Amino acid sequence: TFKYLAYKDFKKEWAMVDPKTGVPWKWNRKYLSYDHTNLEFREWWIQRALDMVAHDEIDGVFIDAIVKAEVKRLPAKNHAEAYWATATELRERMPEGKLLIGNALRVGHSKDGGYKHLKYLDGSYLENWCNPKPAALEKTLNLMSRALKQGRMIMLKGEPTHMDEKKLNSMASLDDRYNYVGKAEFIGFALGYFLLIVEKH
């Protein structure tokens, strides 16, 4: 079930249902899935985003897990197309100057790596961008470089996976933490790869 305040008026019939079983479709057998083929739901989804960006303190909206809306095994027919219609309508109705970012770019998900979504997005968040496989590294680098050259933003998932996390978390001082993570021994492949992406951008 959904627990965010925005879901106080969410209707259960908007959740995706497997027509063969009549049972709600769940991710990881736990989380309900949206059904973007439902026009009433789509209006609710769009309006919740517009409610947020109506606040001056909020710069924009982030759409997570876009790849899940395009999974072919979903029971709702033409769901990928329905999601696209929802997202592009949101873009059209958003106030000028507000950002729309999504978890869209991902090598291996589709032929274009999700690049088509940048038609309505201002940028993309990326997970698994530092995949150790050479082929994936090159494709991801090209995908991000292409997006940046089109004026789109790239936001990378980053975490200190290459150091002693227990030691880092034990440091009370922020200065101590910066001094620790700034050691030359932690300048590794991930940073070098990131700098290749930065280019002149």
Side-chain angles (χ1 to χ4, degrees):
T1 57
F2 301 121
K3 297 182 179 180
Y4 295 108
L5 183 61
Y7 291 107
K8 63 181 180 180
D9 55 355
F10 179 85
K11 298 180 181 180
K12 291 184 179 180
E13 58 264 31
W14 291 344
M16 189 179 296
V17 174
D18 187 338
K20 295 180 180 179
T21 63
V23 177
W25 176 272
K26 293 184 178 182
W27 294 102
N28 299 324
R29 300 181 179 180
K30 185 177 181 181
Y31 302 105
L32 292 174
S33 180
Y34 294 145
D35 185 354
H36 284 273
T37 64
N38 185 307
L39 297 180
E40 187 180 13
F41 161 75
R42 281 162 57 175
E43 178 57 30
W44 174 87
W45 188 89
I46 291 170
Q47 192 57 54
R48 294 293 73 73
L50 295 177
D51 289 344
M52 287 194 297
V53 295
H55 294 276
D56 292 336
E57 297 83 2
I58 296 178
D59 296 325
V61 176
F62 172 68
I63 306 175
D64 198 9
I66 291 175
V67 296
K68 290 183 178 179
E70 302 178 317
V71 172
K72 293 181 179 180
R73 69 176 185 276
L74 293 177
K77 293 183 179 180
N78 302 315
H79 192 263
E81 292 80 1
Y83 162 76
W84 180 272
T86 309
T88 52
E89 183 178 345
L90 171 60
R91 171 83 275 175
E92 293 168 359
R93 293 170 58 179
M94 282 183 65
E96 186 177 353
K98 296 292 184 174
L99 299 172
L100 188 56
I101 306 295
N103 186 348
L105 299 182
R106 184 174 301 185
V107 168
H109 169 64
S110 60
K111 290 182 178 179
D112 70 345
Y115 189 82
K116 65 181 180 181
H117 292 288
L118 296 186
K119 289 182 179 180
Y120 64 85
L121 293 173
D122 295 299
S124 178
Y125 164 77
L126 278 89
E127 299 173 302
N128 304 318
W129 56 277
C130 198
N131 189 311
K133 296 181 180 179
L137 285 171
E138 182 180 3
K139 290 179 181 179
T140 299
L141 181 63
N142 290 335
L143 191 62
M144 289 190 282
S145 179
R146 181 184 175 193
L148 289 167
K149 289 174 180 176
Q150 292 297 319
R152 298 299 192 269
M153 291 183 285
I154 293 297
M155 304 169 67
L156 304 176
K157 178 181 179 181
E159 53 194 21
T161 56
H162 57 299
M163 57 187 66
D164 188 335
E165 189 173 349
K166 185 176 180 180
K167 182 177 181 179
L168 177 64
N169 292 334
S170 69
M171 298 177 182
S173 166
L174 189 58
D175 287 337
D176 288 343
R177 292 190 178 201
Y178 281 141
N179 289 333
Y180 177 65
V181 300
K183 290 183 176 180
E185 63 191 273
F186 297 136
I187 300 176
F189 174 77
L191 177 58
Y193 185 65
F194 167 74
L195 294 175
L196 284 175
I197 298 163
V198 173
E199 298 178 351
K200 65 179 181 181
H201 307 288

